[in-house]
Amino acid sequence: MGLSQIDLIVVIVYAIGIFGLAQWVSREKAGHAKDTSDYFLASKSLPWWAIGASLIAANISAEQIVGMAGSGYKIGLAIASYEWMAALTLLIVGKYFLPIFLKNEIYTMPQFLEQRYGRVLPVLMAVFWLALYVFVNLTSIIWLGSIAVHKVAGVDQTAALIGLGGFALLYQLYGGLKAVALTDIVQVTLLVMGGLIVSYLTLDQIGGGQGILAGFHTLATAHPEKFDMILSPDNPFYKDLPGIAVLIGGMWIANLSYWGFNQYIIQRALAAKNLAEAQKGITLAAYLKLLMPVIIVLPGIAAVMLAPNLAVGDEAYPTMLKLLPPGLLGLVFAALVAAIIASTASKINSIGTIFTLDLYAKARGINTRGEQGEGKTGQEKHLVLVGRIVAAVAVVIAILAAKPLIGQSDQAFQFIQEFSGFFTPGITVIFLLGLFWKPATEAGAIVAALTSVLLSFLLKASIPAAWLPDAVNAYLLPFMNRMMFVFLVSLFLAMAVSLLVRGKGNANRVTMEGVTFRTPMVFNVAAIGVVLILIALYATWW
């Protein structure tokens, strides 16, 4: 498969246009040099529409489009729970987490940990996040993106890998977060439009040209097993999505960690003009998450009928693009590339943010919050340069590590979720206790982090274990259930150690003074709408 001349023109116009737009929106006034607030937090001036669009653009990339469509091909609509439950999680983040973060002027997640616990934990977590972002997130995005580019455009996969990483780096290198966030509304619009086109054409073909409703009915009738939202224990994919646990179990641990305490996601909301703008942006992102399965999962399920003999699930989405006529293929391919570039650029910027502000600046004793002056301006310029260098190094590492780490996985999306699940229980415990339980100490938080990793690896290696009852083995086999179990153990140990090992009296510098969890009427109405839609969706496809 390759692109026609008109397709190539569309893609080239997109690439030039989005690159030029990114540089234009991130330009500074004459005489003003970018400082760390400009580069890493978009001058704390993002409006709600940019926050909402940028949250989705940072989240939806090749690992979502290619990976989740692949899981749709293998598992079915049940994989959509990651999207639909994320909408509810976003509302919790907006109502309960953001008021505390913004009131305390939090820029990065390690910074919050330092203000709440002390100096040791944030260094450990900063190193962990950098490793996760480079070796799991960044590698998976550009690897799966290169698969799509190779399948659709016929470009050599290694060349595609280098091209995607290099373009995303250059795209945000000058402008930082502002270049990414203020252009993400274009990226998301293109993504949604392109995804809807693919879904329409696949369903229309299944329906024999009688429209999408006929196609959906045919698909659901021919493969009803693909439309079970809550999988039963006898389902071969129960270990990936263990029944009711997607609603009241381990998926909450993953979602709270990802949407509430994940730098490259929450960074958009932390860069808001104010709390009200951040919360409005969160609601926009929640509604977009409700739409995502139509754009991503449905084409993967449709491929079960249109391409039933695929060897690898992750080939489903690129294969469905073959249905598109010239010109339209270029537009949808540009949408796919837009998602890859936007998410890659977001990861790159967050890697630079954490390394520069939480490790480098602290090690050099540079205060990024002081009053501006000649010496201060010089330090700020230096930190921005460090962030750019780190971004470039991260991209090179990700390109080199992508194939060895991700290349052998049949369902890359599920691989990412399970690997991340070793760490997310501890992260969720640390932040929930830090936000809402005053007695929590750094010793307890470190125990939670270590317990999460060690116990997760132990259970992964030993389950099923002959020395455990069958019922326990059956419960712990799905990684989502293991995540919930590890969360509860880590929570208990963190609380116990916190009560036994007291922290320093001045360790907790996070203030709750002036923090309110009251939300505007527009947020409340939007939240009710999300809940009602979720009830309807799960009631229909339970």
Side-chain angles (χ1 to χ4, degrees):
M1 187 177 181
L3 298 178
S4 66
Q5 187 175 13
I6 184 65
D7 292 326
L8 286 172
I9 292 173
V10 170
V11 173
I12 291 170
V13 168
Y14 152 74
I16 294 173
I18 202 68
F19 185 85
L21 181 62
Q23 308 318 305
W24 184 76
V25 298
S26 59
R27 70 197 187 284
E28 298 295 339
K29 295 179 180 178
H32 176 73
K34 286 187 184 297
D35 58 24
T36 52
S37 177
D38 298 326
Y39 193 74
F40 298 119
L41 280 176
S43 307
K44 290 190 70 69
S45 62
L46 291 185
W48 67 270
W49 51 265
I51 294 166
S54 195
L55 282 168
I56 298 302
N59 166 240
I60 302 296
S61 183
E63 68 198 74
Q64 298 285 105
I65 298 175
V66 177
M68 189 170 276
S71 293
Y73 184 84
K74 295 283 187 178
I75 301 173
L77 190 62
I79 198 68
S81 285
Y82 277 105
E83 301 299 296
W84 288 341
M85 295 309 293
L88 192 56
T89 307
L90 277 164
L91 299 178
I92 293 172
V93 171
K95 184 173 179 65
Y96 295 109
F97 300 172
L98 284 184
I100 301 174
F101 288 150
L102 292 177
K103 180 64 179 179
N104 287 273
E105 297 183 352
I106 300 300
Y107 291 177
T108 71
M109 293 297 95
Q111 178 206 339
F112 171 80
L113 296 178
E114 182 182 6
Q115 288 187 205
R116 176 59 182 84
Y117 288 112
R119 294 184 177 182
V120 177
L121 181 64
V123 173
L124 296 176
M125 295 307 297
V127 172
F128 156 72
W129 271 312
L130 288 174
L132 181 69
Y133 289 171
V134 173
F135 291 105
V136 177
N137 297 135
L138 199 54
T139 53
S140 64
I141 292 173
I142 60 175
W143 174 257
L144 290 174
S146 70
I147 291 176
V149 172
H150 171 65
K151 291 285 184 182
V152 177
V155 177
D156 176 77
Q157 190 171 349
T158 302
L161 194 69
I162 296 171
L164 289 172
F167 186 82
L169 174 65
L170 294 175
Y171 169 69
Q172 65 84 52
L173 195 61
Y174 170 74
L177 181 62
K178 188 179 291 186
V180 176
L182 293 181
T183 55
D184 278 344
I185 189 69
V186 178
Q187 310 274 47
V188 169
T189 300
L190 196 56
L191 167 64
V192 171
M193 184 170 61
L196 290 176
I197 289 171
V198 175
S199 295
Y200 174 86
L201 290 178
T202 53
L203 290 177
D204 186 59
Q205 180 158 331
I206 290 174
Q210 299 300 309
I212 58 173
L213 294 180
F216 187 84
H217 177 74
T218 302
L219 181 60
T221 302
H223 293 279
E225 76 282 0
K226 297 295 183 183
F227 289 88
D228 289 333
M229 286 300 302
I230 306 299
L231 302 183
S232 58
D234 59 350
N235 190 292
F237 296 102
Y238 181 81
K239 61 181 176 57
D240 297 314
L241 294 164
I244 200 69
V246 301
L247 297 183
I248 58 173
M251 187 171 284
W252 276 105
I253 309 305
N255 277 341
L256 287 172
S257 175
Y258 182 88
W259 292 102
F261 316 128
N262 186 348
Q263 179 66 32
Y264 76 84
I265 293 295
I266 201 69
Q267 189 169 344
R268 279 105 188 96
L270 300 180
K273 291 179 179 178
N274 51 54
L275 177 59
E277 288 291 296
Q279 289 174 329
K280 284 190 287 186
I282 285 282
T283 58
L284 172 61
Y287 277 93
L288 288 172
K289 291 301 284 182
L290 294 177
L291 181 63
M292 285 302 122
V294 177
I295 295 170
I296 299 171
V297 180
L298 203 50
I301 301 175
V304 175
M305 290 191 69
L306 297 176
N309 298 315
L310 293 179
V312 180
D314 288 340
E315 293 181 358
Y317 196 87
T319 302
M320 291 302 93
L321 295 188
K322 295 178 182 179
L323 300 174
L324 301 174
L328 203 53
L329 173 59
L331 180 65
V332 174
F333 181 65
L336 179 60
V337 173
I340 297 166
I341 296 301
S343 191
T344 305
S346 298
K347 301 286 194 308
I348 294 169
N349 185 260
S350 291
I351 289 167
T353 303
I354 289 178
F355 181 90
T356 305
L357 299 185
D358 294 306
L359 295 179
Y360 185 84
K362 295 288 193 306
R364 295 287 299 272
I366 300 174
N367 179 15
T368 59
R369 290 184 159 193
E371 294 294 327
Q372 291 295 329
E374 186 174 341
K376 177 71 172 175
T377 301
Q379 289 180 335
E380 292 283 313
K381 287 181 179 179
H382 177 69
L383 291 178
V384 170
L385 176 62
V386 169
R388 288 170 174 158
I389 293 172
V390 169
V393 171
V395 170
V396 172
I397 293 173
I399 289 171
L400 295 175
K403 186 174 182 179
L405 293 178
I406 311 293
Q408 306 305 314
S409 177
D410 176 48
Q411 290 187 64
F413 182 77
Q414 286 297 108
F415 163 79
I416 295 163
Q417 301 309 313
E418 183 160 6
F419 184 84
S420 301
F422 292 159
F423 306 93
T424 49
I427 292 172
T428 305
V429 167
I430 290 168
F431 277 92
L432 288 181
L433 292 183
L435 287 167
F436 304 113
W437 195 58
K438 285 186 177 181
T441 65
E442 187 172 41
I446 292 174
V447 167
L450 294 175
T451 300
S452 177
V453 175
L454 296 176
L455 185 56
S456 294
F457 274 107
L458 176 64
L459 292 175
K460 171 68 174 175
S462 62
I463 298 297
W467 50 274
L468 287 175
D470 290 343
V472 176
N473 278 322
Y475 174 77
L476 292 177
L477 190 59
F479 84 91
M480 204 172 287
N481 288 345
R482 291 201 304 270
M483 212 162 33
M484 189 64 179
F485 176 76
V486 172
F487 169 78
L488 293 174
V489 173
S490 301
L491 178 64
F492 172 78
L493 291 177
M495 295 178 74
V497 171
S498 293
L499 294 175
L500 292 172
V501 182
R502 306 305 300 168
K504 295 180 180 178
N506 61 347
N508 184 2
R509 292 177 286 116
V510 172
T511 180
M512 296 294 288
E513 186 178 348
V515 173
T516 176
F517 299 120
R518 292 176 61 88
T519 44
M521 180 63 69
V522 64
F523 181 92
N524 296 335
V525 172
I528 292 171
V530 169
V531 172
L532 292 177
I533 291 171
L534 286 173
I535 291 172
L537 289 170
Y538 279 94
T540 302
W541 286 297
W542 186 275

